[in-house]
Amino acid sequence: MKKYYLLTFVGALLLSIIGHGFYLWKWTQGYLMVGFGDGLSQMLFFKQFILEHYQQGNWAYAENFGFGGGIFSQLNYYFSTNIFLIPWYIIFSILPIKTSVETWALLLIPMSIIKQIAIFYACFYFLNYFTKTHAAAFLGAVVYMFSPFFFKNQVLTDNLTDVLFWVPLLLIGVERIIRHQSPIFFIISTALLLISNFYISYVVLIITGIYILLRLFLHITNNERQKKQQIKWYILGSLLSFGISCFSFIPAVISYLHNNRPAYEQSIPFYALNTELLLSESKTLWLPIFIVIFLLLRPLYQHRAFKLFAFISILGTVLYFSPFIGSLFNGFSAPNTRWTPIITLGYAGLTAITIENLNILHKKQWFYATITVTVIFLLTILLTNTHLNFLSIVALIWALISIGLFLTKKRTFLISSLIIIMVLVYSNFFQSNLYSHTELSTKEYLTSDKYMPTQDTSAFDYIKNHELNDTVRTDWSNVFRENMTSLMPINGFSLYSSISNGPIMDMYMRDLQIDTGRESLSRYRSLGDRTNLMAAFQSQFYMRHSTYKNIPYLYENVHTSKNFTLYENQKLLPAFRVVDSFYNEEALQLESTLAKEHALLQGAITDDGTTPLPTTNTIRPTSITLHNGKWKKDRLIVPRKKNEGEILIQLPKIEKIETLYVQMTLSPIKRYKKFTLKINDYETSRRSNYAKYKTGFNDLTFAIPASDLVKIKLPSGKYHLTNLRIYGEDYKTLDAAYKAAKKADFTWDNADASGTVTAKKDDLLVTPIPYEPGWHITLNNEKVDAKKINYAFIGIPLQQGQNQITMHYAPPYWSIVWPISVVSLILLVALILWRKKSSAN
């Protein structure tokens, strides 16, 4: 038996290595098995970022996570409690190994192979409940482990490949309850799933629930437990699993609810049929020709397990084409196919049971099924005018060869081998198709200043040597690599994460309309070249490449390095300051963004403010001229024959105005490609109407150096353009606020902040700490609630006189959830001991 398990492991390992052949070959040429987008921007980064903070003891909160954020809870979606990453964190924390992003890049393929073997074993043990031979389960697990879902997500977003592991693992727990009334495996696997990733839990638990419903009415064996007994253990086991995972799951869900992601506004059809599964490559699902053949073998339907997997396969394949189902499994957001592992598991089950029963089939049955499927393939190609591509050719060759092999005495071994060969060919083909996403991801690029400018230390050394204090930040982030700033020796204003601080995102997109250079969800960077905001949020330094022209007012060139020019402004408001003017947030919504900035400078924006609103200088154009386009009411039409339409706005002679604020409402009409909007020397890109990650916010504000002429340029197309307004800023408000600012004696270090503040009655402490659940505040040894101010930050109402303040962050509801987890774990141990004692008796 030991020899068999050794052979199983060696076989799975060898197949996984061969299955990774394409990227192993590309690795020798300097290419990485990681997507140039999210793979490099998020996946590699978050692994290193989390490890660094765990090693430093900052497991809960990091002040350099964008503006600051709870990494234990917000990064649960990625890797903060990921079961596959925790062992690596432990290893790197114990061994004297200095890690970097390059370390994780070196581990890309080994980690992929390890995870694929784990997925193989989860499926292998699950299929052993339905087959009598381990060899048949082995073959089914091989079909499962080489799913295109695995390779696509392992390359682009490898946290999502965990779904392939958890689905069969939880279903093993379900089968143990059904067959043995043993809930322990179900409880432990469900608890580990909930701990590992709350989002994946959503997908996997829906799949598990559907499977449980199927198994309540479709019996596989004759000794299955009664439905009431099964339901009892599902409920009790789920409650205990939830209790054990509380410490991780609840904070993660709270952070998710605090992440205000704009609703997906595009229509979602219930069904959208296409031929990609049969005739071309699919991104997440592969329908092998042998699966279609298996489904036509009528004698196999006498097996109950075959009926189960046939039902899952057929229904799943049909629903694969439903965007609505994809949206359901993605929290009713944009349609996605992250639920397809259950379909592949159905294919794996069909493969295992068919191979096990191959000898009971007559050659005519195999021949007729194979010929029928071949005809279906050819007719589909003819009717859809599809060219005979590589996948179709391989499928048809497989079908013809299988007919000959079926006639031999060793049909089971030979057809099994043929399936493995086909799977290996397909797996490497899937990877070759992914190459377009990774061809720019090279070892050379990863170690270059284009990715992370670690070699150009001059600018960063200057910043560290000239910082006014520990709270100042630098307005810079690498283009498309917003997260890289957090690994540099500076604090910045950039973040790219699916789960982040919702009020911060709303502040950027809705409240202050801070342009980041390109429209995108889940990310922010820079402060839109707006000096007022940079003063309010302590941006002492402004770092850009030397070709950048739109330098904000008050920022002066102080240093030039290999890649960057560094600008500095010392007219910053204190990070922690005492204010006594409060502006009403709701009333300000009707005012210009410049008025909102003035409110930030002079006091605090609150939900109950009563201070009279600031006034701003509106500049009325003397003329507006349109070139290469025409107006049709509120529509701007730039003909296709013209490359670019231009609106020329002539302003009166401007005196003592340093910056223009250009506001507008702009949205494209039936546009399928992103476009660039230019305002004088300032450029930003906007998404099409149909972009998956369009923000839905079309009220825009741009700050540009003062000029008598404003040029707005748009490429050919149709646009809604309304509410065009221009304001002038002379920075008198900033000057006054800077002189009158009352600095508070306060320090902030990740999850802790404290200080002593002297105040008058009804004063308020403004902090740069983002508002989010988890902060606990004491004022003069009494607990007080944080007040949300300035759209996204914490304010603390003060008492007259001296105020001793302490702030501490712990994951949301931490003091409640960790005791629940401990008690639940004790109950699990008690249940295990009780069941052992009952079995012994």
Side-chain angles (χ1 to χ4, degrees), residues 30-49:
Y31 294 94
L32 302 174
M33 186 181 169
V34 63
F36 191 74
D38 289 354
L40 290 179
S41 295
Q42 294 191 77
M43 302 305 148
L44 288 185
F45 162 79
F46 283 135
K47 291 168 187 173
Q48 178 62 18
F49 180 76

Side-chain angles (χ1 to χ4, degrees), residues 15-207:
L15 290 177
S16 182
I17 292 172
I18 297 170
H20 283 78
F22 178 83
Y23 271 110
L24 284 168
W25 169 55
K26 282 297 179 182
W27 177 268
T28 63
Q29 298 179 327
Y31 294 94
L32 302 174
M33 186 181 169
V34 63
F36 191 74
D38 289 354
L40 290 179
S41 295
Q42 294 191 77
M43 302 305 148
L44 288 185
F45 162 79
F46 283 135
K47 291 168 187 173
Q48 178 62 18
F49 180 76
I50 293 168
L51 174 63
E52 286 185 3
H53 282 279
Y54 280 5
Q55 289 175 332
Q56 297 165 12
N58 303 329
W59 65 276
Y61 193 94
E63 63 185 81
N64 65 338
F65 184 58
F67 277 83
I71 57 175
F72 178 81
S73 52
Q74 291 181 23
L75 292 181
N76 178 277
Y77 177 81
Y78 295 95
F79 306 113
S80 63
T81 55
N82 186 279
I83 300 301
F84 287 101
L85 266 294
I86 288 175
W88 293 101
Y89 297 154
I90 295 172
I91 290 169
F92 288 134
S93 297
I94 294 174
L95 299 178
I97 300 174
K98 185 177 180 180
T99 60
S100 64
V101 171
E102 293 96 285
T103 307
W104 297 102
L106 288 170
L107 290 171
L108 282 168
I109 294 179
M111 289 177 71
S112 180
I113 291 172
I114 291 171
K115 184 183 285 190
Q116 192 172 55
I117 291 173
I119 290 167
F120 163 83
Y121 270 106
C123 182
F124 174 70
Y125 283 113
F126 171 70
L127 293 179
N128 269 298
Y129 278 96
F130 302 94
T131 60
K132 297 177 182 178
T133 61
H134 292 311
F138 180 94
L139 183 62
V142 168
V143 170
Y144 184 72
M145 71 191 279
F146 285 115
S147 162
F149 181 93
F150 175 83
F151 289 107
K152 182 241 183 182
N153 286 298
Q154 194 64 24
V155 166
L156 303 180
T157 49
D158 63 310
N159 58 327
L160 298 178
T161 56
D162 294 9
V163 176
L164 283 161
F165 173 75
W166 292 111
V167 167
L169 199 73
L170 258 67
L171 299 191
I172 291 173
V174 171
E175 288 298 327
R176 289 184 66 82
I177 288 176
I178 293 172
R179 298 166 187 252
H180 310 297
Q181 202 173 339
S182 175
I184 305 302
F185 195 95
F186 177 80
I187 294 169
I188 294 174
S189 58
T190 304
L192 289 175
L193 165 66
L194 293 171
I195 291 169
S196 188
N197 189 301
F198 86 95
Y199 171 74
I200 286 176
S201 301
Y202 172 80
V203 176
V204 175
L205 291 177
I206 292 177
I207 292 172

Side-chain angles (χ1 to χ4, degrees), residues 22-23 33-35 148 150-156 283 427-439:
F22 178 83
Y23 271 110
M33 186 181 169
V34 63
F150 175 83
F151 289 107
K152 182 241 183 182
N153 286 298
Q154 194 64 24
V155 166
L156 303 180
K283 294 180 180 178
S427 68
N428 282 282
F429 180 79
F430 297 146
Q431 293 169 70
S432 68
N433 280 345
L434 289 168
Y435 179 59
S436 62
H437 297 281
T438 62
E439 60 184 333

